[in-house]
Amino acid sequence: MTLIAPSILSADFADLGREVQRVSSADWLHVDVMDGMFVSNISIGVPVVKSLRKATDMFLDVHLMIEKPVRYIDAFADAGANLLSIHLEADMPPGIRAALDAMDKKGVKKGIVLRPITAAEAVLPYVKDVDLILVMTVEPGFGGQKFMTDQLPKIQKIRQYIQEHNPDCRLEVDGGVDPKTAPLVVEAGADVLVAGSAVYGAKDPAEAIRILRGQ
């Protein structure tokens, strides 16, 4: 089953509680955290995740676009994140391992993320140990970008690695996902789709979610 995770980066931040309810038919809620260093944009932090947790019982899929993420694992876990995803480019391998270990101690699900420039093979040291791998199909940092079709072979290759080493691991895609690109990434092997403007920019978000599921 394909899961849909609307990204609140495209929501109206003046009324996030209402915006969460607008996408309540989705499976997960995707939360983009940016520090202005790993990416050039700055977005929400721990207090907003804590507020979201109070406003919904949806699964909070928190994508950390931050340098040296091990520093913030405990805080975001305590705020109510169900899954934390960290970029392999955001620290050296010992730091990535430390962050994943911290997630284990906090009992949250573990994810790793690849920017478009990062090869599929980068997941191999971690694929057996994580619950999710996220492939970015745009450059991280800003919503509304065009889908990079050259990332489809990477998705296929990572799906192969998952099947070989950890079949229970989810494969998520984020960036330019809409009714036209969603079937492409699902065919390539993704089973979680992050969508921002395709959901929040639709007149009927529930219908947009249904279409993205392929229903």
Side-chain angles (χ1 to χ4, degrees), residues 82 96 113:
N82 297 104
I96 299 299
V113 193

Side-chain angles (χ1 to χ4, degrees), residues 75-122:
F76 280 104
D78 291 341
N82 297 104
L83 182 148
L84 293 171
S85 297
I86 58 172
H87 273 265
L88 294 183
E89 309 90 359
D91 204 347
M92 299 297 287
I96 299 299
R97 281 290 176 192
L100 295 174
D101 289 345
M103 293 179 211
D104 270 333
K105 291 177 182 176
K106 282 294 182 178
V108 296
K109 291 187 178 297
K110 308 184 295 292
I112 54 174
V113 193
L114 287 74
R115 298 178 75 150
I117 60 170
T118 304
E121 290 78 9

Side-chain angles (χ1 to χ4, degrees), residues 15-189:
D15 195 352
L16 269 184
R18 179 182 64 88
E19 292 288 81
V20 170
Q21 294 307 311
R22 289 179 67 210
V23 299
S24 59
S25 64
D27 304 283
W28 294 0
L29 195 64
H30 189 80
V31 183
D32 288 306
V33 177
M34 309 177 198
D35 64 358
M37 296 177 64
F38 181 73
V39 293
S40 58
N41 199 8
I42 296 175
S43 67
I44 65 178
V46 171
V48 175
V49 174
K50 190 177 294 186
S51 296
L52 288 169
R53 181 75 291 158
K54 293 177 182 177
T56 182
D57 60 1
M58 291 180 72
F59 186 97
L60 295 183
D61 167 27
V62 180
H63 174 192
L64 300 181
M65 287 173 267
I66 61 178
E67 292 283 352
K68 295 182 170 46
V70 67
R71 300 173 295 161
Y72 297 101
I73 298 302
D74 288 2
F76 280 104
D78 291 341
N82 297 104
L83 182 148
L84 293 171
S85 297
I86 58 172
H87 273 265
L88 294 183
E89 309 90 359
D91 204 347
M92 299 297 287
I96 299 299
R97 281 290 176 192
L100 295 174
D101 289 345
M103 293 179 211
D104 270 333
K105 291 177 182 176
K106 282 294 182 178
V108 296
K109 291 187 178 297
K110 308 184 295 292
I112 54 174
V113 193
L114 287 74
R115 298 178 75 150
I117 60 170
T118 304
E121 290 78 9
V123 308
L124 288 173
Y126 309 99
V127 63
K128 292 180 181 179
D129 306 318
V130 296
D131 301 288
L132 176 140
I133 297 173
L134 168 54
V135 176
M136 295 296 298
T137 45
V138 298
E139 282 297 333
F142 294 90
Q145 298 182 62
K146 185 178 179 181
F147 179 83
M148 295 180 173
T149 57
D150 62 357
Q151 296 301 298
L152 291 170
K154 181 195 294 186
I155 298 167
Q156 293 172 333
K157 188 171 287 187
I158 292 175
R159 169 51 64 189
Q160 180 182 337
Y161 294 151
I162 287 172
Q163 291 306 115
E164 291 173 356
H165 301 290
N166 183 7
D168 292 331
C169 180
R170 290 279 186 180
L171 178 52
E172 184 174 49
V173 170
D174 181 4
V177 174
D178 60 25
K180 291 183 178 180
T181 58
L184 301 177
V185 297
V186 171
E187 183 180 0

